[in-house]
Amino acid sequence: MDFLTLFLIYLGFLLTTVALLCTCSGRKESFLTRGVNGASQILSFIIPTQLQRVTQRMCHRLFHTRSWLFVALHLALQAAVYGEYTWEVAVYCWELQFPLLILLVPYLLLVGNMACFILCSWADPGIITRSNHSSLVKIHAYDGVLYQKGIVCPTCHMEKPARSKHCSVCNVCVHRFDHHCVWVNNCIGASNAKYFFLYLLTLTAMAAAITTISTALLIQVVLLSNVLHGRYIDEEGQEHAVGLLFLVQHFFQTFPRIVFMLGFVLLLTLVLGAYCCFHLYLTLTNQTSNEWYKSRRDGGCYYHQTFQPPLREAVYKNIYSKGAWMNFKEIFNPPPLLEGKKK
């Protein structure tokens, strides 16, 4: 249990940042892609060609094809963190008479998070087919900048509705495409955006809850042990008052797994919290990750490719925003569902 827990959490430190960047994928030249390409050019001088080809095939398999690897990593990290929380943090907190309801909060959030994860992973994100194409074209207007009428998807051989995009990973066109998320192994679109938002919110709350409870445990241990009023003798025989550095070393020696887990979930809380705020901003302004990225590319100016002179530029303006509250409602009750209810 000790080795497995530390290994999984250590592996999570290495892969979490990379995989979180992949949640913003869905574009050909992402930050991750540019970084990998730059690193590849440098490493190509010292790494054998055959090894480079193997690495490229592995990266393509991980980030450009549907794979359950990150889903398995997601579940393994959750199991490792909750295993540590259950067998050490919760047990110590129970002995210190923490309220039971507080200790159960992470488990309640876990149930909600797993439900959102399953819905987000298995739900149809809004795949455009020939049967629903005619109705999806009428939902959103073409803004003439990011989306232009008459553009045909070369793979699906259908005219692209406004706010749609072809996902190269899933090989389908998705209505109101946001991004392809490797953590749920599915695209995020009009039909499952609400599940993804709740999944992200509960995941952030889970990390924050475990961080708060674990921190409260360590603070309670410090207060009960009265260690702050103690003194220690260093290697040179000099006496010093207990400081922050001594406390950190003491906790690493006494509760190494709790401290390591606390650092991991604290990092997740900060990263996921920032990403959750970003998605809340997109929701309230009625934008997708794909639209946000494209609107800032080249200063927000685009050349018209059809029906206008090739040198004429158009500045992007978000025409889909209807006010914060209506934008928020649209995520949980998108236009296709409203049309279905009327029928």
Side-chain angles (χ1 to χ4, degrees), residues 35-53 55-56 59:
V36 171
N37 290 338
S40 299
Q41 292 177 358
I42 297 175
L43 295 176
S44 61
F45 295 101
I46 57 177
I47 298 179
T49 304
Q50 187 174 4
L51 181 58
Q52 291 181 39
R53 292 174 181 174
T55 304
Q56 289 174 356
C59 290

Side-chain angles (χ1 to χ4, degrees), residues 17 35 43 52-53 69 74 88 157 209 213 286 332:
T17 303
L43 295 176
Q52 291 181 39
R53 292 174 181 174
L69 175 63
H74 168 274
E88 290 209 46
H157 305 291
I213 296 174
N286 205 334
F332 291 89

Side-chain angles (χ1 to χ4, degrees), residues 167-184:
C167 177
S168 59
V169 179
C170 298
N171 198 31
V172 293
C173 282
V174 178
H175 178 54
R176 201 186 182 279
F177 178 86
D178 191 276
H179 69 280
H180 180 89
C181 181
V182 295
W183 291 111
V184 300

